[in-house]
Amino acid sequence: MSLQIGVPRETFPGEKRVATVPEVVEKLKKLGFGVLVESGAGEAANCGDDAYRAAGAEVVPDAATLWSRADIVFKVRAPSADEVARVREGQTLVSFIWPAQNPELMQQLAARKATVLAIDCLPRQLSRAQKMDALTSMAGISGYRAVIEAANAFGRFFSGQITAAGKVPPAKVFIAGAGVAGLAAIGTAANLGAIVRANDTRAEVADQVKSLGGEFVKVDYEEEGSGGGGYAKVMSEGFQKAQREMYAQQAKDADIIITTALIPGKPAPKLITAEMVQSMKPGSVIVDMAGEQGGNCELTVPGEAVVRHGVTIVGYTDLASRLAKQSSTLYATNLFRLTEELCKTKDGVIDVNMEDDAIRGLTVIKDGAVTWPAPPPKLPAAPPPAAKPAVPPPAPKGHGHGAGEPMSAGALATVFGIGALAFWFVGAHAPAAFLGHFTVFVLACFVGYMVIWNVTPSLHTPLMSVTNAISSIIVIGALVQIAPPESGGGRPDEVIRWVAIVGIALTSINMFGGFAVTRRMLAMFRK
């Protein structure tokens, strides 16, 4: 018998997201599950009851009915006390739980003898778990929305403009933290035309910042900041002091600061002090994305936008929820991918396999027994470093030259002399027909060299190299047919002439069009 998946209305104040959307309901049905949706659950995310019915879900009138009938419950926010009281023995709950921050909730759920999968505990270092990574999905949306909130509170354009009324300088945006949310904010701000600078304790993200159009600001202190699971680690006091000095300099220059520094289970580090806020220009904006855990700014008020020292400090804790339709769609897709892993037989029955590293990491309570924290996942062993090739002994010095030694002037003159004699011999003794073909061959080799090896390597693909070589031979041959040497026996007939002209035209389009298309593709990756 297939199981029923229930999707209740979120009860957290201001939460607009829903755990699944009509498009995903159809996919869940194909896995063999029945889907129950509480009436009005998706209204705030523009997913009406009729849309759920059309997708094959059953809309139930209230939460009590849904919780009593559902075998599996999909939620966004951690369950409230009333929802915990509705959990049945043997029921499975999939939601954000944050077990480190909610030990009492964990004990309450364990007492209900349920199985709980915390989507926030997914082992993100497993590559195959990325399709289920709801944290990344929500962080990307939050980073985008942070820039939109900053633009709304900022009193000028992001991009620089020159108008009849005067010149408008571009906004300067500084982003503290270049994780998923930070990178999303960098790309959004850069696309709006701002000058973007960013910093992160992990030096390896510098290239990612640059690829999105930002400038990486390095702290003048050497320390590695990579932590486990894709997060940054807590840095030493020396590093933090140097970091604060850098932040103080950026605060004086920046128009907008977006902070994203947060390590799950720990209070948000204070990066922006009250003195830094006071040093900012009037009308500047700070968007503190860590507001829910206390904020990265000392003056942040979680859940509110306040003005301090002429600076607007946005501490909203529901950035992902402010794009409810988009975030609900991505979250629903993450849960669907998780359901695929739980139901590989597609018969509407789940198997919480504790031998699977991804599922084991997600499972914080199994049939009433607390299984959190999970042991570290078994990662594949790193490949052994490649052996360095033996350095060949240096070539003995003498009258000859080694493989890497440039050819001397005398040797070069000898080679050219031999080549000239060979060409004279061929020209003096070969028949006229062969000489014409030989000329075409030599010119084709020269043109092929200029077309292929004398062009920037980044513009080439193997197929393009071959087609350009063939095209150069076609062009030379067609030119010879249009205007043959006088010794060739006169003018060609009109049919051959027009075939050659068409060949030149098509080949030219192929050659120049190939380079144009390649340059256009490369331009997609440039700012």
Side-chain angles (χ1 to χ4, degrees), residues 260-298:
T260 69
L262 186 63
I263 299 175
K266 298 181 181 179
K270 299 300 180 184
L271 305 178
I272 307 299
T273 63
E275 291 77 13
M276 295 180 194
V277 175
Q278 194 168 2
S279 70
M280 296 180 71
K281 293 170 282 190
S284 299
V285 178
I286 296 175
V287 180
D288 192 340
M289 295 183 62
E292 197 163 5
Q293 297 298 324
N296 296 136
C297 176
E298 287 183 348

mmCIF file of all heavy atoms in Angstrom, residues 260-298:
data_model
loop_
_atom_site.group_PDB
_atom_site.id
_atom_site.type_symbol
_atom_site.label_atom_id
_atom_site.label_comp_id
_atom_site.label_asym_id
_atom_site.label_seq_id
_atom_site.Cartn_x
_atom_site.Cartn_y
_atom_site.Cartn_z
ATOM 1 N N THR A 260 27.135 38.018 5.474
ATOM 2 C CA THR A 260 26.575 36.659 5.356
ATOM 3 C C THR A 260 27.259 35.663 6.279
ATOM 4 O O THR A 260 27.017 34.462 6.164
ATOM 5 C CB THR A 260 26.724 36.162 3.908
ATOM 6 O OG1 THR A 260 28.115 35.927 3.631
ATOM 7 C CG2 THR A 260 26.188 37.161 2.903
ATOM 8 N N ALA A 261 28.116 36.128 7.185
ATOM 9 C CA ALA A 261 28.946 35.218 7.984
ATOM 10 C C ALA A 261 28.114 34.518 9.050
ATOM 11 O O ALA A 261 27.544 35.167 9.930
ATOM 12 C CB ALA A 261 30.092 35.990 8.637
ATOM 13 N N LEU A 262 28.036 33.196 8.953
ATOM 14 C CA LEU A 262 27.278 32.419 9.930
ATOM 15 C C LEU A 262 27.722 30.966 9.873
ATOM 16 O O LEU A 262 27.809 30.381 8.794
ATOM 17 C CB LEU A 262 25.775 32.519 9.645
ATOM 18 C CG LEU A 262 24.839 31.867 10.667
ATOM 19 C CD1 LEU A 262 24.972 32.549 12.023
ATOM 20 C CD2 LEU A 262 23.402 31.933 10.186
ATOM 21 N N ILE A 263 28.001 30.390 11.024
ATOM 22 C CA ILE A 263 28.321 28.977 11.147
ATOM 23 C C ILE A 263 27.181 28.315 11.902
ATOM 24 O O ILE A 263 26.839 28.750 13.016
ATOM 25 C CB ILE A 263 29.653 28.757 11.895
ATOM 26 C CG1 ILE A 263 30.803 29.420 11.121
ATOM 27 C CG2 ILE A 263 29.930 27.268 12.069
ATOM 28 C CD1 ILE A 263 32.136 29.353 11.831
ATOM 29 N N PRO A 264 26.507 27.312 11.320
ATOM 30 C CA PRO A 264 25.349 26.697 11.982
ATOM 31 C C PRO A 264 25.678 26.230 13.391
ATOM 32 O O PRO A 264 26.734 25.641 13.646
ATOM 33 C CB PRO A 264 25.015 25.515 11.060
ATOM 34 C CG PRO A 264 25.521 25.928 9.721
ATOM 35 C CD PRO A 264 26.755 26.729 9.994
ATOM 36 N N GLY A 265 24.743 26.494 14.299
ATOM 37 C CA GLY A 265 24.912 26.060 15.682
ATOM 38 C C GLY A 265 25.687 27.022 16.549
ATOM 39 O O GLY A 265 25.866 26.766 17.740
ATOM 40 N N LYS A 266 26.150 28.151 15.966
ATOM 41 C CA LYS A 266 26.932 29.119 16.734
ATOM 42 C C LYS A 266 26.369 30.515 16.519
ATOM 43 O O LYS A 266 25.811 30.801 15.457
ATOM 44 C CB LYS A 266 28.405 29.073 16.314
ATOM 45 C CG LYS A 266 29.071 27.723 16.585
ATOM 46 C CD LYS A 266 30.533 27.734 16.181
ATOM 47 C CE LYS A 266 31.169 26.358 16.450
ATOM 48 N NZ LYS A 266 32.593 26.327 16.042
ATOM 49 N N PRO A 267 26.502 31.399 17.511
ATOM 50 C CA PRO A 267 26.032 32.777 17.330
ATOM 51 C C PRO A 267 26.779 33.450 16.182
ATOM 52 O O PRO A 267 27.944 33.152 15.905
ATOM 53 C CB PRO A 267 26.352 33.443 18.676
ATOM 54 C CG PRO A 267 26.522 32.317 19.639
ATOM 55 C CD PRO A 267 27.054 31.167 18.849
ATOM 56 N N ALA A 268 26.087 34.375 15.505
ATOM 57 C CA ALA A 268 26.714 35.073 14.381
ATOM 58 C C ALA A 268 27.872 35.928 14.881
ATOM 59 O O ALA A 268 27.736 36.645 15.874
ATOM 60 C CB ALA A 268 25.676 35.944 13.684
ATOM 61 N N PRO A 269 29.034 35.878 14.225
ATOM 62 C CA PRO A 269 30.167 36.713 14.658
ATOM 63 C C PRO A 269 29.884 38.192 14.391
ATOM 64 O O PRO A 269 29.264 38.543 13.384
ATOM 65 C CB PRO A 269 31.324 36.199 13.800
ATOM 66 C CG PRO A 269 30.669 35.624 12.582
ATOM 67 C CD PRO A 269 29.363 35.060 13.047
ATOM 68 N N LYS A 270 30.329 39.039 15.293
ATOM 69 C CA LYS A 270 30.138 40.481 15.126
ATOM 70 C C LYS A 270 31.269 41.043 14.268
ATOM 71 O O LYS A 270 32.420 41.131 14.702
ATOM 72 C CB LYS A 270 30.120 41.173 16.493
ATOM 73 C CG LYS A 270 29.004 40.697 17.417
ATOM 74 C CD LYS A 270 27.630 40.930 16.805
ATOM 75 C CE LYS A 270 26.528 40.442 17.732
ATOM 76 N NZ LYS A 270 25.187 40.569 17.106
ATOM 77 N N LEU A 271 30.934 41.399 13.039
ATOM 78 C CA LEU A 271 31.923 41.904 12.092
ATOM 79 C C LEU A 271 31.882 43.420 11.960
ATOM 80 O O LEU A 271 32.914 44.057 11.751
ATOM 81 C CB LEU A 271 31.697 41.269 10.710
ATOM 82 C CG LEU A 271 31.677 39.739 10.641
ATOM 83 C CD1 LEU A 271 31.405 39.287 9.214
ATOM 84 C CD2 LEU A 271 32.984 39.152 11.145
ATOM 85 N N ILE A 272 30.685 44.002 12.042
ATOM 86 C CA ILE A 272 30.520 45.437 11.847
ATOM 87 C C ILE A 272 30.168 46.058 13.194
ATOM 88 O O ILE A 272 29.095 45.805 13.750
ATOM 89 C CB ILE A 272 29.414 45.735 10.814
ATOM 90 C CG1 ILE A 272 29.666 44.956 9.517
ATOM 91 C CG2 ILE A 272 29.327 47.225 10.543
ATOM 92 C CD1 ILE A 272 30.964 45.298 8.821
ATOM 93 N N THR A 273 31.073 46.859 13.710
ATOM 94 C CA THR A 273 30.864 47.481 15.013
ATOM 95 C C THR A 273 30.067 48.777 14.871
ATOM 96 O O THR A 273 29.883 49.305 13.763
ATOM 97 C CB THR A 273 32.206 47.785 15.683
ATOM 98 O OG1 THR A 273 32.919 48.746 14.877
ATOM 99 C CG2 THR A 273 33.045 46.528 15.819
ATOM 100 N N ALA A 274 29.607 49.290 16.015
ATOM 101 C CA ALA A 274 28.871 50.556 16.002
ATOM 102 C C ALA A 274 29.753 51.688 15.468
ATOM 103 O O ALA A 274 29.265 52.597 14.776
ATOM 104 C CB ALA A 274 28.368 50.872 17.410
ATOM 105 N N GLU A 275 31.045 51.659 15.777
ATOM 106 C CA GLU A 275 31.957 52.689 15.274
ATOM 107 C C GLU A 275 32.057 52.631 13.749
ATOM 108 O O GLU A 275 32.125 53.679 13.085
ATOM 109 C CB GLU A 275 33.346 52.522 15.893
ATOM 110 C CG GLU A 275 33.429 52.841 17.377
ATOM 111 C CD GLU A 275 32.858 51.720 18.243
ATOM 112 O OE1 GLU A 275 32.621 50.609 17.717
ATOM 113 O OE2 GLU A 275 32.643 51.955 19.453
ATOM 114 N N MET A 276 32.063 51.426 13.190
ATOM 115 C CA MET A 276 32.106 51.303 11.732
ATOM 116 C C MET A 276 30.832 51.860 11.104
ATOM 117 O O MET A 276 30.884 52.536 10.070
ATOM 118 C CB MET A 276 32.278 49.834 11.328
ATOM 119 C CG MET A 276 33.587 49.202 11.735
ATOM 120 S SD MET A 276 33.673 47.464 11.207
ATOM 121 C CE MET A 276 35.067 46.884 12.169
ATOM 122 N N VAL A 277 29.696 51.594 11.736
ATOM 123 C CA VAL A 277 28.429 52.134 11.214
ATOM 124 C C VAL A 277 28.466 53.656 11.238
ATOM 125 O O VAL A 277 28.051 54.326 10.282
ATOM 126 C CB VAL A 277 27.240 51.597 12.046
ATOM 127 C CG1 VAL A 277 25.936 52.244 11.580
ATOM 128 C CG2 VAL A 277 27.142 50.080 11.926
ATOM 129 N N GLN A 278 28.983 54.207 12.312
ATOM 130 C CA GLN A 278 29.041 55.662 12.444
ATOM 131 C C GLN A 278 29.971 56.285 11.406
ATOM 132 O O GLN A 278 29.765 57.429 10.984
ATOM 133 C CB GLN A 278 29.513 56.017 13.859
ATOM 134 C CG GLN A 278 29.287 57.472 14.241
ATOM 135 C CD GLN A 278 29.486 57.713 15.721
ATOM 136 O OE1 GLN A 278 29.825 56.784 16.466
ATOM 137 N NE2 GLN A 278 29.268 58.940 16.182
ATOM 138 N N SER A 279 30.982 55.521 10.947
ATOM 139 C CA SER A 279 31.925 56.053 9.962
ATOM 140 C C SER A 279 31.391 55.997 8.532
ATOM 141 O O SER A 279 31.977 56.591 7.629
ATOM 142 C CB SER A 279 33.242 55.273 10.033
ATOM 143 O OG SER A 279 33.075 53.948 9.531
ATOM 144 N N MET A 280 30.282 55.296 8.327
ATOM 145 C CA MET A 280 29.725 55.177 6.981
ATOM 146 C C MET A 280 29.038 56.468 6.555
ATOM 147 O O MET A 280 28.592 57.270 7.387
ATOM 148 C CB MET A 280 28.740 54.001 6.907
ATOM 149 C CG MET A 280 29.379 52.644 7.141
ATOM 150 S SD MET A 280 28.207 51.262 7.056
ATOM 151 C CE MET A 280 27.869 51.227 5.292
ATOM 152 N N LYS A 281 28.930 56.648 5.228
ATOM 153 C CA LYS A 281 28.304 57.852 4.686
ATOM 154 C C LYS A 281 26.805 57.854 4.976
ATOM 155 O O LYS A 281 26.173 56.790 4.945
ATOM 156 C CB LYS A 281 28.554 57.919 3.175
ATOM 157 C CG LYS A 281 30.010 58.143 2.801
ATOM 158 C CD LYS A 281 30.249 57.971 1.327
ATOM 159 C CE LYS A 281 30.304 56.508 0.943
ATOM 160 N NZ LYS A 281 30.780 56.299 -0.441
ATOM 161 N N PRO A 282 26.222 59.001 5.247
ATOM 162 C CA PRO A 282 24.761 59.059 5.448
ATOM 163 C C PRO A 282 24.025 58.528 4.213
ATOM 164 O O PRO A 282 24.419 58.819 3.079
ATOM 165 C CB PRO A 282 24.493 60.560 5.652
ATOM 166 C CG PRO A 282 25.793 61.120 6.111
ATOM 167 C CD PRO A 282 26.865 60.311 5.441
ATOM 168 N N GLY A 283 22.988 57.741 4.460
ATOM 169 C CA GLY A 283 22.249 57.135 3.350
ATOM 170 C C GLY A 283 22.754 55.763 2.964
ATOM 171 O O GLY A 283 22.164 55.111 2.096
ATOM 172 N N SER A 284 23.825 55.308 3.603
ATOM 173 C CA SER A 284 24.346 53.972 3.309
ATOM 174 C C SER A 284 23.405 52.908 3.867
ATOM 175 O O SER A 284 22.517 53.187 4.669
ATOM 176 C CB SER A 284 25.752 53.799 3.902
ATOM 177 O OG SER A 284 26.651 54.732 3.342
ATOM 178 N N VAL A 285 23.632 51.669 3.431
ATOM 179 C CA VAL A 285 22.747 50.568 3.803
ATOM 180 C C VAL A 285 23.584 49.370 4.249
ATOM 181 O O VAL A 285 24.625 49.067 3.635
ATOM 182 C CB VAL A 285 21.838 50.153 2.625
ATOM 183 C CG1 VAL A 285 20.948 48.965 3.014
ATOM 184 C CG2 VAL A 285 20.983 51.317 2.163
ATOM 185 N N ILE A 286 23.138 48.694 5.299
ATOM 186 C CA ILE A 286 23.706 47.410 5.710
ATOM 187 C C ILE A 286 22.583 46.384 5.683
ATOM 188 O O ILE A 286 21.519 46.608 6.273
ATOM 189 C CB ILE A 286 24.306 47.479 7.134
ATOM 190 C CG1 ILE A 286 25.492 48.446 7.174
ATOM 191 C CG2 ILE A 286 24.756 46.087 7.589
ATOM 192 C CD1 ILE A 286 26.043 48.655 8.582
ATOM 193 N N VAL A 287 22.782 45.276 4.978
ATOM 194 C CA VAL A 287 21.837 44.155 4.998
ATOM 195 C C VAL A 287 22.516 43.021 5.746
ATOM 196 O O VAL A 287 23.508 42.461 5.262
ATOM 197 C CB VAL A 287 21.428 43.718 3.583
ATOM 198 C CG1 VAL A 287 20.450 42.543 3.661
ATOM 199 C CG2 VAL A 287 20.790 44.871 2.821
ATOM 200 N N ASP A 288 21.995 42.705 6.923
ATOM 201 C CA ASP A 288 22.590 41.689 7.790
ATOM 202 C C ASP A 288 21.825 40.383 7.604
ATOM 203 O O ASP A 288 20.733 40.205 8.138
ATOM 204 C CB ASP A 288 22.523 42.153 9.246
ATOM 205 C CG ASP A 288 23.378 41.302 10.169
ATOM 206 O OD1 ASP A 288 23.710 40.162 9.786
ATOM 207 O OD2 ASP A 288 23.704 41.777 11.273
ATOM 208 N N MET A 289 22.412 39.460 6.833
ATOM 209 C CA MET A 289 21.740 38.194 6.550
ATOM 210 C C MET A 289 21.825 37.204 7.706
ATOM 211 O O MET A 289 21.185 36.146 7.663
ATOM 212 C CB MET A 289 22.325 37.565 5.278
ATOM 213 C CG MET A 289 22.076 38.383 4.023
ATOM 214 S SD MET A 289 22.701 37.578 2.547
ATOM 215 C CE MET A 289 21.714 36.095 2.539
ATOM 216 N N ALA A 290 22.599 37.530 8.725
ATOM 217 C CA ALA A 290 22.711 36.649 9.900
ATOM 218 C C ALA A 290 21.837 37.135 11.042
ATOM 219 O O ALA A 290 22.075 36.783 12.195
ATOM 220 C CB ALA A 290 24.170 36.562 10.349
ATOM 221 N N GLY A 291 20.821 37.939 10.714
ATOM 222 C CA GLY A 291 19.985 38.531 11.764
ATOM 223 C C GLY A 291 19.306 37.509 12.653
ATOM 224 O O GLY A 291 19.114 37.744 13.850
ATOM 225 N N GLU A 292 18.933 36.345 12.103
ATOM 226 C CA GLU A 292 18.215 35.348 12.886
ATOM 227 C C GLU A 292 19.065 34.783 14.014
ATOM 228 O O GLU A 292 18.536 34.309 15.021
ATOM 229 C CB GLU A 292 17.726 34.226 11.973
ATOM 230 C CG GLU A 292 16.647 33.361 12.583
ATOM 231 C CD GLU A 292 15.900 32.544 11.553
ATOM 232 O OE1 GLU A 292 16.286 32.570 10.371
ATOM 233 O OE2 GLU A 292 14.923 31.868 11.930
ATOM 234 N N GLN A 293 20.398 34.832 13.861
ATOM 235 C CA GLN A 293 21.300 34.335 14.909
ATOM 236 C C GLN A 293 22.020 35.477 15.621
ATOM 237 O O GLN A 293 23.124 35.312 16.116
ATOM 238 C CB GLN A 293 22.330 33.383 14.291
ATOM 239 C CG GLN A 293 21.732 32.139 13.677
ATOM 240 C CD GLN A 293 20.998 31.276 14.690
ATOM 241 O OE1 GLN A 293 21.406 31.167 15.845
ATOM 242 N NE2 GLN A 293 19.892 30.677 14.270
ATOM 243 N N GLY A 294 21.388 36.635 15.667
ATOM 244 C CA GLY A 294 21.956 37.760 16.398
ATOM 245 C C GLY A 294 22.552 38.831 15.521
ATOM 246 O O GLY A 294 22.706 39.974 15.946
ATOM 247 N N GLY A 295 22.939 38.476 14.288
ATOM 248 C CA GLY A 295 23.440 39.470 13.344
ATOM 249 C C GLY A 295 24.940 39.640 13.372
ATOM 250 O O GLY A 295 25.602 39.438 14.395
ATOM 251 N N ASN A 296 25.496 40.031 12.218
ATOM 252 C CA ASN A 296 26.922 40.340 12.113
ATOM 253 C C ASN A 296 27.222 41.788 12.473
ATOM 254 O O ASN A 296 28.388 42.163 12.598
ATOM 255 C CB ASN A 296 27.420 40.089 10.687
ATOM 256 C CG ASN A 296 27.325 38.635 10.278
ATOM 257 O OD1 ASN A 296 26.896 38.316 9.175
ATOM 258 N ND2 ASN A 296 27.730 37.726 11.154
ATOM 259 N N CYS A 297 26.192 42.611 12.593
ATOM 260 C CA CYS A 297 26.359 44.019 12.957
ATOM 261 C C CYS A 297 25.868 44.219 14.388
ATOM 262 O O CYS A 297 24.821 43.680 14.783
ATOM 263 C CB CYS A 297 25.595 44.910 11.985
ATOM 264 S SG CYS A 297 25.645 46.670 12.403
ATOM 265 N N GLU A 298 26.598 45.001 15.154
ATOM 266 C CA GLU A 298 26.228 45.214 16.559
ATOM 267 C C GLU A 298 24.887 45.928 16.708
ATOM 268 O O GLU A 298 24.214 45.778 17.727
ATOM 269 C CB GLU A 298 27.312 46.049 17.258
ATOM 270 C CG GLU A 298 28.600 45.286 17.523
ATOM 271 C CD GLU A 298 29.618 46.109 18.280
ATOM 272 O OE1 GLU A 298 29.417 47.337 18.398
ATOM 273 O OE2 GLU A 298 30.613 45.527 18.750
#
